Amino acid sequence: MIPYGRQSIDESDIAAVVAVLQSDFLTQGPVLPAFEQAFAQRVKVPYAVASNSATSALHLAYLALGVGPGDTVWTSPNTFVATANAALYCGAEVDFVDIDPHSYNLSADALAQKLAQAEQQGRLPKVVTPVHFAGQPCDMAAIGELSRRYGFAVVEDASHAVGADYQNTPVGCCQYSDITVFSFHPVKIMTTAEGGLATTKQAELAQRMMQLRSHGIVREPEHLLSPSPGGWYYEQQSLGFNYRMTELQAALGLSQLTRLDDFLAQRRRLAARYDVELEGLPLVRPWQSPEGRSSYHLYPVQLPDSIDRAEVFAQLRAAGIGVQIHYIPVHTQPFYRQRGFKPGDFPVAEHYYQGAISLPLYADLTPQDQDSVVLQLKQLLAGR
Ligand SMILES: *Cc1c(COP(=O)(O)O)cnc(C)c1O
């Protein structure tokens, strides 16, 4: 089976992890801060806080911004459930903003309309979390403008967008947001097996996320509430978690970071090849915003209503092509229906979902494998 996504691990990655195994620290050593620093430098931001998943990074981000009971977080229905779930972990409510039919990202126009209504009802969100779906940057300038006007914070879910650019700046530099969150799950652009990372320009937010990542414990003398009685002393100042990334993961991340430009070049080359090869077929290829450059975590195509997506999906899978669907709109999940959402609430995301199929795309996808994906699609869709 050709999967829809997978990691690329080479000898240098393996050597980096083995070196940590032979070192003094398997966790809480020097490699993690080195990885954080290198990542921060890469996306041109002062602070990076790594964690054991993007889900935990989202949780830390929301907590650092003070999200709690009585607050609402708005996000896109076209995302992985974790984006919304992390707000519920904080005791907050979740609501959604429908997507743009071309970018499949949270629509800034729909957001503006919903905000105007919410202001009248006194129900403005505490945080809005746009998701850079497939690696395609959201309309951050418009979202940033709305955040200033209505006073909400912005968390970018950039789980798909490691290495993407927006207005010639790296996603993660937080030009229009408070915090940006990345995922290093193996299907994503680069991997630490499991892992995530949050970037910010605000020292205080970085400090809070670092504290909450490790039980709410503080050791730095300048941040203690009482004078230190000795070298053993620490204070638990808040209720945190164990969301730490290990040294093994950080070493893999540091090594993968040196390969990131290759990964991106490969993904963009393969995406451009799909763009050419799929021309003329009855499907919509991914749209590229003129304001950005996608990292191409996914290559989602949209089939027209006249074609049975389930049948195409099943036949591709039967032919050994591991296509996947991104995403079942979060508000239609049983858990979210129990919370009052229903089909029809966010029609653009639901319509997109009906026709969506993500084709295999990853750095090590061979041209031969890509050709067989294209061939199968052509045979299935020819004459439709
Ligand atoms: C993968 C993903 C997450 C969760 O990432 P983990 O590292 O697996 O916790 C969150 N949001 C989006 C959009 C994702 O694709």
Side-chain angles (χ1 to χ4, degrees), residues 53-55 58 79-80 82-83 131 157 159-160 183 185 188 195 327:
S53 71
T55 306
L58 284 161
T79 187
F80 185 54
T83 320
V131 180
D157 184 340
S159 292
H160 299 186
S183 172
H185 184 280
K188 307 284 163 72
Y327 283 101

Side-chain angles (χ1 to χ4, degrees), residues 158-181:
S159 292
H160 299 186
V162 176
D165 293 323
Y166 176 72
Q167 295 181 344
N168 297 314
T169 57
V171 168
C173 73
C174 298
Q175 186 175 358
Y176 299 104
S177 68
D178 296 277
I179 297 173
T180 304
V181 168

Side-chain angles (χ1 to χ4, degrees), residues 118-136:
E119 188 179 40
Q120 286 178 353
Q121 299 162 348
R123 297 161 60 95
L124 284 169
K126 175 102 171 176
V127 173
V128 174
T129 306
V131 180
H132 304 301
F133 177 72
Q136 178 71 246

Side-chain angles (χ1 to χ4, degrees), residues 94-96 331-332 336-343 345-346:
V94 165
D95 201 354
F96 301 93
H331 69 282
T332 67
Y336 282 88
R337 290 194 202 195
Q338 281 166 24
R339 304 183 66 87
F341 296 100
K342 57 187 187 311
D345 284 349
F346 304 98

